[in-house]
Amino acid sequence: MKKIIAIQGAEGSNHHKVARDFYGSKIALKECMSFDVLVDSLIDKSANLGVMALENTIAGSIIPNYALIDNNNLHIIGEQYLNIHHHLMALKGQKMEDIKEVCSHPMALLQCKEFFKKYPHIKLVEDVDTAEVAKRIAKENLVGIAAIAPKIAAEIFGLSILEDEIQTIKDNSTRFVIVQTDKPAEDVTVDKASIKFQLSHKRGSLAAILNAMSDCKMNLTKIQSLPVIETPWKYSFFVDVTFEDYNDYKKAISLIEIMAEEFKVLGVFKNGRI
């Protein structure tokens, strides 16, 4: 079956780069301007794989995406960590003094705010997607307008890089996950899992599960709580663990299933951080 990969954003975006890094350059893309549309494309089978950002070292967890994965019973089959680089690009022949307006995603603008203090004449305008702006500049031949986008966008749309690495914080990384609707076949070579569970309000219930994970040689790499909408003051816990032995993972899962009120495996896959 042909791989059609749904990405949030346009061709040339960081989501596109992750899809290309994970599956190679010869891939079919489905561009989605929101994560909700991305999930819908998986459910209606217009795409069979999706790339979703899940957390960032500066902005933290993208909470709504945890809920989207959980509520739509998506399966995480892989992950990729990407260092985020912001580049300023415009039509060929343009210089910094020619630029009157810079358009990009609000997060990109925020992460490059310090750079633009040197150019008070430039107006910063929020837009839906970094790469979409780059595409529009090229397609409509927009003079005096620049985009903040990944370098891949300049390559695809034939734009010139005016300034490299304009982000304020240079060490900025995002974790992306690869999701699908079908449950993958069991693979004993995997070494990371994402799970979700709910607990009773009994004293020490969370500590007991964390101890069980530790006893089974699980290494906790992430824990995130989300409120259970239908039940005020009750929370679901989303946890990532790594392990060396698949049998240790299976043992931990069998214990957590007994201890938790509600339990779900969101995905078991290869650790993206080496």
Side-chain angles (χ1 to χ4, degrees):
M1 183 170 62
K2 184 180 179 182
K3 287 185 175 67
I4 301 174
I5 303 174
I7 60 169
Q8 191 277 318
E11 181 185 21
S13 65
N14 283 319
H15 279 78
H16 177 205
K17 185 174 187 338
V18 169
R20 196 171 71 168
D21 290 348
F22 205 85
Y23 287 109
S25 58
K26 295 181 179 179
I27 52 176
L29 287 181
K30 182 172 178 60
E31 301 174 345
C32 306
M33 285 302 111
S34 73
F35 288 110
D36 291 274
V37 173
L38 185 155
V39 171
D40 288 342
S41 73
L42 294 174
I43 293 170
D44 67 22
K45 303 299 182 183
S46 56
N48 43 35
L49 293 162
V51 176
M52 297 178 71
L54 209 53
E55 58 182 304
N56 175 265
T57 52
I58 296 174
S61 297
I62 305 173
I63 302 294
N65 286 359
Y66 281 90
L68 279 173
I69 292 170
D70 179 28
N71 295 339
N72 292 282
N73 295 314
L74 300 182
H75 299 276
I76 300 173
I77 63 166
E79 67 175 6
Q80 187 96 354
Y81 289 81
L82 181 69
N83 289 325
I84 304 300
H85 304 277
H86 292 307
H87 306 276
L88 190 66
M89 59 194 68
L91 291 174
K92 289 182 177 179
Q94 298 269 280
K95 298 177 181 177
M96 282 302 299
E97 54 264 33
D98 301 320
I99 303 303
K100 303 294 186 292
E101 194 173 283
V102 171
C103 305
S104 196
H105 188 278
M107 188 57 68
L109 291 172
L110 181 65
Q111 292 175 358
C112 302
K113 195 174 178 180
E114 287 298 314
F115 171 82
F116 289 105
K117 287 183 178 179
K118 298 180 290 184
Y119 303 97
H121 70 284
I122 294 178
K123 181 182 179 182
L124 303 180
V125 180
E126 293 185 359
D127 214 297
V128 293
D129 181 67
T130 55
E132 181 64 29
V133 176
K135 183 178 182 179
R136 191 163 67 241
I137 289 171
K139 185 178 180 180
E140 300 177 15
N141 202 39
L142 298 178
V143 176
I145 297 179
I148 301 171
K151 189 167 283 188
I152 182 179
E155 296 168 4
I156 291 171
F157 304 120
L159 300 179
S160 288
I161 302 289
L162 300 180
E163 293 281 350
D164 273 310
E165 307 287 355
I166 65 171
Q167 66 272 13
T168 304
I169 301 173
K170 304 306 180 185
D171 190 7
N172 176 14
S173 181
T174 296
R175 177 190 176 218
F176 296 81
V177 291
I178 315 299
V179 294
Q180 64 183 34
T181 55
D182 297 331
K183 185 177 181 180
E186 188 173 50
D187 179 3
V188 297
T189 67
V190 295
D191 56 2
K192 188 170 183 178
S194 289
I195 62 175
K196 172 221 173 180
F197 53 82
Q198 291 177 21
L199 300 172
S200 68
H201 279 302
K202 292 179 182 177
R203 179 165 56 97
S205 57
L206 177 58
I209 280 192
L210 296 180
N211 284 333
M213 290 182 186
S214 178
D215 291 342
C216 294
K217 303 176 184 176
M218 301 289 102
N219 178 36
L220 184 84
T221 61
K222 172 79 176 178
I223 183 166
Q224 177 73 52
S225 64
L226 267 71
V228 179
I229 303 300
E230 312 82 30
T231 312
W233 311 117
K234 194 173 184 66
Y235 294 87
S236 294
F237 292 93
F238 293 80
V239 171
D240 290 339
V241 292
T242 58
F243 48 89
E244 294 182 3
D245 189 324
Y246 187 73
N247 290 323
D248 288 335
Y249 158 74
K250 294 293 284 186
K251 181 181 178 182
I253 292 308
S254 64
L255 290 173
I256 297 169
E257 280 184 303
I258 297 169
M259 299 167 73
E261 288 188 342
E262 182 183 313
F263 174 76
K264 180 195 286 187
V265 175
L266 302 176
V268 190
F269 46 91
K270 294 292 282 185
N271 187 0
R273 294 189 73 185
I274 307 301

